[in-house]
Amino acid sequence: MSNILIINSGSSSLKFKLINMPGEKVLASGVVERIGLKESLIFYESGSIYVSKKTNIPNHSSGLKEATRLLMDYHTGVIKNQDDIAAIGHRVVHGGDLFYDTCLVDKKVKEQIKNLFSLAPLHNPPNLTGIEVAEEIFPNTRQIAVFDTAFHKTIPLKARKYAIPNKFFEEHKIELYGFHGISHKYVSQQAIEYINKPNSKIISIHLGNGCSMTAVKNGESIDHSLGFGPNNGLIMGTRSGDIDQSVIFFLIDKLGYSSQEANQILNKQSGMLGLTGNSDLRDIEDRAYEGDESCKLALEMNAYRIKKYIGAYAAIMNGLDAIIFTAGIGENSSKIRELVCKDMEFAGIELDNDVNEMGSDEIREINKPESKVKILVIPTNEELEIAKQCYQFIQ
Ligand code: AMP
């Protein structure tokens, strides 16, 4: 049995979870928020123990030290010392074309993650910081990197390449990399086990703050809605998703925005926020319920885009066994699931509206019994997927 500490390090937050493998038992979990800001927050949970406090956490190193202290503390802790941690698993968003597998972190790996900063400027730098502070605090523990892009390595060239001059692919590596791979891998494997069909055709729909869809054939990603960057495909909280690129040139050339401003508009001010003034779907659903037309339309638009991708992915796989809804919106919004699955009988997708309304933390099937395609709600668990990959790696 091995305890794996999972670290997901963001620009101002550090999430951690200690999981005992192979039993998949969560021993403790927590998050340090507002790192480097006034009044940082720490939440920690282990069994019936909850800690929630405001304190001063100037950087990621102090954040992880505090987390480590809680994990080993006489009252709150679950381990005695550092030797009780077999490995530390780090979520790294972008592996580019350098990392297609989970790997042990060494000097070269860190250098390569750094070289990929330009591809994921918001994510890879804090991910690397997480690795560096873990090395500092746990100098004798194996550090393992698990990449979000890795699951998409199986996407064939015909889907991976953009139809632009070849030199941009060959010399500048401009291609579809994809994201949310750890989540899509986890839920699609759960679905394969649930339907008990390894050679299956599945569409995984991850709807959270960021949204993406993956066509998963025989357990492998073969197409995906995000691409070179994190703004393609579905309508997201603040990102537009698919857009005619002429709009970008119009914003810059005719309306006078700089490229940075245009980037900001499309990534931070668009999506559900741009359409309604709110980015959180709960607020939008409440306002739609009260009769707000812009919110009703935004929900319709959101579901319409997902529906189009379902059609496309069913076509490229020549069939469909299951669709999966996962992440904050996918797991919780019965409204979005209803709008997406409406009028899809032609594709064998038939939602049971009553079951759709029921909540659960477990994997659940929300289709009618006669539906040819299973409609599954599967809670994602990226930390567990990282722990599984780390455990496999150290065996
Ligand atoms: P995630 O990135 O997976 O944590 O998802 C976060 C998003 O899930 C939030 O921005 C909300 O829009 C959405 N969400 C969470 N709970 C609900 C809910 N009960 N109903 C609708 N949307 C929800």
Side-chain angles (χ1 to χ4, degrees):
M1 290 213 297
S2 308
N3 294 329
I4 315 279
L5 178 63
I6 311 303
I7 293 181
N8 187 352
S9 175
S11 56
S12 64
S13 71
L14 190 141
K15 290 187 198 152
F16 60 95
K17 204 174 240 187
L18 188 66
I19 304 181
N20 184 260
M21 297 298 286
E24 302 182 3
K25 186 172 165 23
V26 177
L27 303 179
S29 63
V31 57
V32 188
E33 288 177 350
R34 296 177 53 82
I35 294 174
L37 302 171
K38 248 195 226 161
E39 293 207 326
S40 314
L41 300 165
I42 298 184
F43 300 98
Y44 175 84
E45 188 180 344
S46 170
S48 57
I49 297 165
Y50 292 92
V51 177
S52 158
K53 62 176 183 180
K54 285 184 187 161
T55 176
N56 182 29
I57 303 283
N59 52 41
H60 286 71
S61 174
S62 356
L64 186 58
K65 276 186 191 140
E66 184 57 23
T68 311
R69 196 190 61 71
L70 286 162
L71 287 169
M72 295 179 191
D73 181 81
Y74 179 74
H75 298 288
T76 59
V78 282
I79 51 171
K80 284 203 193 82
N81 55 49
Q82 297 202 356
D83 295 341
D84 291 338
I85 296 177
I88 301 182
H90 296 269
R91 176 180 184 222
V92 181
V93 164
H94 217 305
D97 64 348
L98 300 173
F99 299 104
Y100 289 126
D101 286 304
T102 297
C103 71
L104 197 64
V105 175
D106 59 17
K107 207 168 155 215
K108 186 165 174 226
V109 167
K110 283 187 288 179
E111 208 47 51
Q112 288 171 317
I113 293 174
K114 210 172 194 174
N115 290 340
L116 294 165
F117 277 7
S118 61
L119 292 180
L122 297 180
H123 295 100
N124 272 28
N127 295 161
L128 183 62
T129 303
I131 292 174
E132 286 171 342
V133 300
E135 281 179 332
E136 169 200 326
I137 297 166
F138 295 86
N140 301 317
T141 311
R142 282 169 287 195
Q143 312 285 336
I144 295 169
V146 179
F147 296 89
D148 231 349
T149 44
F151 182 53
H152 301 299
K153 70 180 175 192
T154 41
I155 295 179
L157 269 184
K158 65 183 172 190
R160 174 175 287 279
K161 271 186 86 171
Y162 296 114
I164 56 178
N166 280 324
K167 68 171 183 184
F168 294 110
F169 174 71
E170 284 151 12
E171 292 167 29
H172 302 282
K173 302 184 166 104
I174 296 179
E175 60 187 276
L176 185 162
Y177 290 106
F179 298 92
H180 298 145
I182 297 169
S183 172
H184 285 296
K185 181 171 185 192
Y186 177 78
V187 294
S188 57
Q189 283 178 346
Q190 293 275 306
I192 289 168
E193 275 172 40
Y194 183 86
I195 64 175
N196 196 16
K197 192 174 177 195
N199 296 321
S200 51
K201 296 164 180 173
I202 291 173
I203 298 174
S204 170
I205 310 171
H206 177 110
L207 307 174
N209 281 324
C211 301
S212 69
M213 287 172 62
T214 303
V216 183
K217 194 172 180 187
N218 305 334
E220 294 186 341
S221 169
I222 62 158
D223 205 351
H224 173 70
S225 65
L226 292 170
F228 180 66
N231 191 5
N232 196 63
L234 306 183
I235 298 175
M236 306 176 223
T238 64
R239 295 181 226 152
S240 62
D242 286 346
I243 190 162
D244 178 344
Q245 59 217 265
S246 323
V247 173
I248 304 169
F249 297 116
F250 194 87
L251 286 172
I252 295 170
D253 298 335
K254 293 277 180 235
L255 301 184
Y257 290 99
S258 66
S259 71
Q260 270 172 337
E261 286 165 339
N263 194 359
Q264 188 81 0
I265 290 169
L266 294 171
N267 279 286
K268 300 271 184 211
Q269 298 164 18
S270 295
M272 299 305 270
L273 178 69
L275 294 169
T276 68
N278 283 107
S279 63
D280 194 305
L281 202 82
R282 286 163 286 204
D283 300 324
I284 298 165
E285 286 186 351
D286 288 348
R287 284 174 53 203
Y289 185 73
E290 287 158 10
D292 185 298
E293 291 300 329
S294 70
C295 291
K296 284 191 209 167
L297 178 62
L299 291 172
E300 292 281 352
M301 288 171 68
N302 193 314
Y304 180 81
R305 185 79 57 87
I306 298 169
K307 213 185 245 284
K308 284 211 292 194
Y309 271 87
I310 292 178
Y313 288 171
I316 61 162
M317 293 193 287
N318 189 19
L320 189 58
D321 294 304
I323 60 174
I324 305 165
F325 287 96
T326 193
I329 296 169
E331 290 165 35
N332 295 300
S333 172
S334 55
K335 184 70 192 167
I336 285 288
R337 295 194 300 256
E338 180 200 317
L339 290 171
V340 169
C341 295
K342 204 169 144 212
D343 301 331
M344 294 280 269
E345 293 80 10
F346 85 96
I349 297 171
E350 294 184 62
L351 184 75
D352 181 321
N353 286 312
D354 294 332
V355 185
N356 182 36
E357 294 300 330
M358 295 174 193
S360 160
D361 290 339
E362 304 285 313
I363 179 166
R364 63 190 196 277
E365 188 176 324
I366 57 171
N367 48 276
K368 287 183 183 163
E370 63 271 28
S371 178
K372 287 202 192 87
V373 173
K374 298 270 186 229
I375 309 171
L376 305 174
V377 180
I378 305 184
T380 194
N381 194 337
E382 288 161 301
E383 292 87 2
L384 180 55
E385 179 58 35
I386 296 172
K388 280 181 176 181
Q389 293 191 31
C390 290
Y391 184 69
Q392 225 170 22
F393 187 85
I394 60 174
Q395 288 314 294

